[in-house]
Amino acid sequence: MSYELIKWVHVLSSTILFGTGIGSAFYMFMANRSRDTRDIYFAVRHVVIADWLFTTPAVIVQLFSGLYMVHMAGYSLADLWILWGLLLYVFAGACWVPVVWMQIKMRDMARIAVDTGTALPERYWRLDRWWITLGSLAFPAIVVVFWLMVSKPV
């Protein structure tokens, strides 16, 4: 495969990763702020689906296409911009994995609340605070990875 094709796939998957991530975070954050259980259930249910359909494949494609381009271009994994990019990518991933689990739990709690006509339990709101914290840590890490990808500082 040509470098240009791999680069296009890499850029496309980074766009999907970033767009799905920020869009899903926005809609779930806003639904949670509304405190409307039906809106929350609608949002979190679709965020979980979006993670499986878009985010997960994009995360995988990003890593492998990026590593393949490093190899094709003759860079070293020891180059500081690549090393920092990988470390920040892994850090963001370490924040994202528990978030996926939280979103599934939050979806299930919201479904029960909607089905039974009850309020969301306190555990939901504790997970929401962790969800916000982990997302607030992962987001700037990914922004820096984008900068490293584009600028390739030596």
Side-chain angles (χ1 to χ4, degrees):
M1 279 192 244
S2 74
Y3 183 85
E4 288 76 23
L5 177 60
I6 298 298
K7 184 176 181 179
W8 179 80
V9 168
H10 190 72
V11 169
L12 180 62
S13 68
S14 70
T15 304
I16 292 168
L17 177 63
F18 190 79
T20 303
I22 201 163
S24 293
F26 175 77
Y27 286 110
M28 189 164 153
F29 180 83
M30 295 306 290
N32 284 344
R33 303 296 68 78
S34 78
R35 300 255 174 182
D36 181 298
T37 308
R38 290 190 185 284
D39 289 347
I40 290 168
Y41 177 53
F42 179 86
V44 72
R45 184 177 75 225
H46 289 95
V47 165
V48 169
I49 292 168
D51 266 350
W52 292 118
L53 289 179
F54 303 110
T55 308
T56 301
V59 165
I60 295 164
V61 169
Q62 275 291 280
L63 180 60
F64 289 108
S65 62
L67 290 172
Y68 191 54
M69 284 191 309
V70 164
H71 170 73
M72 289 178 80
Y75 290 113
S76 167
L77 292 178
D79 289 347
L80 283 180
W81 71 272
I82 295 171
L83 184 60
W84 274 107
L86 286 169
L87 289 172
L88 289 168
Y89 193 76
V90 168
F91 172 76
C95 291
W96 176 68
V97 169
V99 161
V100 171
W101 174 84
M102 286 179 213
Q103 290 169 172
I104 292 168
K105 295 297 181 190
M106 293 165 83
R107 177 204 59 200
D108 295 347
M109 285 184 262
R111 180 178 51 234
I112 291 168
V114 167
D115 289 349
T116 61
T118 58
L120 289 164
E122 178 54 35
R123 181 169 183 242
Y124 182 94
W125 301 110
R126 273 195 310 276
L127 290 176
D128 180 54
R129 288 187 294 274
W130 277 109
W131 181 83
I132 291 167
T133 300
L134 291 170
S136 297
L137 293 170
F139 180 75
I142 291 299
V143 169
V144 173
V145 170
F146 264 81
W147 179 78
L148 291 167
M149 262 188 342
V150 171
S151 67
K152 297 175 183 58
V154 178

